[in-house]
Amino acid sequence: MSPAPGIPPIPRDALQLPADVLWLAHCKDGPIPRVAADGVRELLETELEPWNLRWQEDFLDVQARLRHASAAFFAVDEADISLVACTSAGLEAISLGYPWQSGDEVLIPAGEFSSNRLPWLALSARGVVCREVELWPDQLAANPEPPTAGIEPEQRLLDAITPHTRLMSVSWIRFQDGTRLDLDRLGQGCAARGVHLVVDGIQGAGTMVPSLTHVDAFVSGGHKGLLGTQGQGVMWTRPTFRQRLVPLGTWLSAPAAFSQSGTQADEGDLWASDGRRLEAGSPSILSCGALGHSVQLLLDSGGAPVIQAHVMALQRLLLERLLPYEEWSHDVTRLQGLLETDRLGPTLSFRVEDDRAERLLAAAAKQKIGTSTREGYLRVALHGWHSVKDVERTVAWLTQVDIPR
């Protein structure tokens, strides 16, 4: 029997959530914690008096804390962390820095968010082909089928590899239907075929545990499950993969010994060998400070393993409560199958007709419930601060009989 949900690992009062607000949309925007907002205010004070700004404490150390917290959260080496503005920025650093040759090929799943699509399509100007691969039968049909427990998207992607394929870039968890890919299986298959695996992790970072054993790069913006602000994210790269990428050539990606100097050493690499190699100049210190505090809160709350266990317990409970309702039972059964085969991220994506979704969204707005829809799916995103009471309120909203028609 699966464990019942316990006390939320993230205290609700760590966030500025009024008692009557139910936020189920961190898949769109996560609320920043109070401690992150306080940290930003403190940093902002230094901007009012720049003559008191300390280079080490107020600039370099703020970045260092974010690197350290991110490395601890993802259980990786701190030297392999790069600070990036967002998911797109990290993927662009890879797409622009990889040593492509005309005729090379990139594979991405069909239906990717534009952050993991446009950086690869743009390579056509360099003779690189980007192919989009259907992940399950009828995914691209006029009336597409939603994913079920029997899908094998990893095998479909691996089967699509050709002798020209150099890199595969996937969303770990898909933004619209919430499907989670098996990074171990995919990564092992790519490695065996000499293909690099790059992962857009934004829909799972902060709530789920990614396995990076066979991954070459993992990128995530910080404003969703990591509970940071817009415009700041993190990227992890495997050292051997990172060394293949042409650096962006910005001043902070140079070795620290001469990062502020107009002259450089005559010997050795001009660029840092660690994650700074791929960074695009001065980051937003305010955003770095906020995300550093947010990630530290996630760590102090037990980290990704504890949050994931809590989220999955809440998901099981919510689906069990919805199952008796005829209008939900079919899709609930589908989602239960995905959940029990480790195919779901933190978001339950219900397949809902447009007119019904509009009525549910209108009812949610009146009840101060925040949620969202994408491509025919109603998204209910759960995190570490949600409780059994929140599940009960969600079920009451979804099953109310007085939704205006």
Side-chain angles (χ1 to χ4, degrees):
M1 179 177 293
S2 301
I7 297 172
I10 301 176
R12 185 180 172 90
D13 62 6
L15 308 167
Q16 190 166 306
L17 289 174
D20 59 345
V21 171
L22 175 56
W23 189 248
L24 300 171
H26 81 260
C27 54
K28 180 177 67 171
D29 287 296
I32 71 168
R34 295 178 189 273
V35 66
D38 292 341
V40 169
R41 293 187 188 100
E42 184 177 341
L43 284 170
L44 196 55
E45 288 296 319
T46 67
E47 299 296 329
L48 292 172
E49 300 177 352
W51 48 89
N52 289 325
L53 189 147
R54 301 161 298 175
W55 170 252
Q56 185 67 44
E57 294 89 341
D58 299 328
F59 188 75
L60 295 181
D61 286 354
V62 175
Q63 300 173 59
R65 284 195 295 272
L66 174 54
R67 296 181 210 279
H68 181 76
S70 299
F73 188 78
F74 291 111
V76 297
D77 192 324
E78 187 173 336
D80 297 328
I81 293 292
S82 302
L83 305 184
V84 295
C86 56
T87 308
S88 295
L91 295 175
E92 286 166 1
I94 295 171
S95 68
L96 294 175
Y98 192 82
W100 304 105
Q101 295 184 10
S102 181
D104 285 347
E105 179 180 78
V106 182
L107 295 183
I108 65 173
E112 285 291 281
F113 192 72
S114 55
S115 295
N116 190 41
R117 189 168 182 264
L118 298 184
W120 312 113
L121 291 174
L123 294 172
S124 62
R126 297 168 64 177
V128 179
V129 176
C130 176
R131 283 202 297 123
E132 301 177 72
V133 181
E134 192 176 57
L135 296 185
W136 57 85
D138 296 323
Q139 179 196 355
L140 300 179
N143 185 23
E145 288 295 319
T148 61
I151 61 172
E152 290 199 14
E154 298 84 9
Q155 194 59 51
R156 282 178 165 255
L157 286 164
L158 294 174
D159 288 345
I161 291 175
T162 73
H164 300 288
T165 308
R166 301 289 172 261
L167 185 147
M168 181 186 296
S169 186
V170 304
S171 289
W172 174 32
I173 296 166
R174 290 166 55 78
F175 77 97
Q176 66 284 77
D177 52 61
T179 305
R180 174 160 46 126
L181 299 188
D182 184 337
L183 297 185
D184 270 340
R185 179 180 177 186
L186 198 55
Q188 289 182 56
C190 284
R193 294 162 173 80
V195 173
H196 296 291
L197 178 61
V198 173
V199 178
D200 170 353
I202 194 169
Q203 288 294 338
T207 55
M208 298 275 142
V209 182
S211 175
L212 303 180
T213 305
H214 304 284
V215 171
D216 290 293
F218 181 92
V219 193
S220 177
H223 66 284
K224 297 184 188 289
L226 290 174
L227 309 184
T229 61
Q230 291 270 4
Q232 186 59 55
V234 293
M235 175 168 68
W236 171 86
T237 48
R238 188 173 301 283
T240 51
F241 178 66
R242 185 168 63 246
Q243 290 303 118
R244 296 200 65 188
L245 304 178
V246 176
L248 294 176
T250 58
W251 73 285
L252 281 175
S253 64
F258 52 79
S259 61
Q260 291 196 84
S261 174
T263 59
Q264 297 183 354
D266 293 331
E267 56 185 53
D269 196 341
L270 292 176
W271 316 112
S273 60
D274 61 17
R276 293 177 298 123
R277 184 181 185 91
L278 303 178
E279 293 181 354
S282 301
S284 164
I285 291 301
L286 297 180
S287 297
C288 283
L291 186 56
H293 283 296
S294 296
V295 175
Q296 188 60 53
L297 173 66
L298 297 177
L299 281 167
D300 294 342
S301 301
V306 170
I307 296 171
Q308 176 172 323
H310 179 72
V311 165
M312 293 180 70
L314 290 177
Q315 289 176 324
R316 289 188 181 96
L317 179 63
L318 195 156
L319 293 174
E320 288 170 3
R321 297 285 177 86
L322 276 179
L323 186 60
Y325 293 88
E326 183 178 357
E327 66 271 29
W328 292 103
S329 60
H330 179 74
D331 211 41
V332 164
T333 301
R334 178 184 69 85
L335 289 169
Q336 285 177 323
L338 289 169
L339 179 62
E340 299 312 321
T341 53
D342 294 326
R343 281 291 182 200
L344 288 185
T347 303
L348 294 172
S349 295
F350 295 95
R351 187 73 161 163
V352 178
E353 300 85 357
D354 289 346
D355 60 340
R356 186 179 174 203
E358 289 178 6
R359 296 196 300 271
L360 285 166
L361 288 175
K366 291 179 180 179
Q367 299 174 39
K368 296 186 177 180
I369 297 175
T371 185
S372 62
T373 58
R374 293 291 186 276
E375 298 185 0
Y377 293 93
L378 176 69
R379 304 189 300 175
V380 173
L382 297 169
H383 209 304
W385 69 83
H386 288 115
S387 65
V388 171
K389 183 178 179 181
D390 292 328
V391 167
E392 293 170 347
R393 185 174 171 188
T394 302
V395 172
W397 157 56
L398 292 174
T399 58
Q400 59 187 306
V401 297
D402 58 344
I403 298 175
R405 291 185 177 276

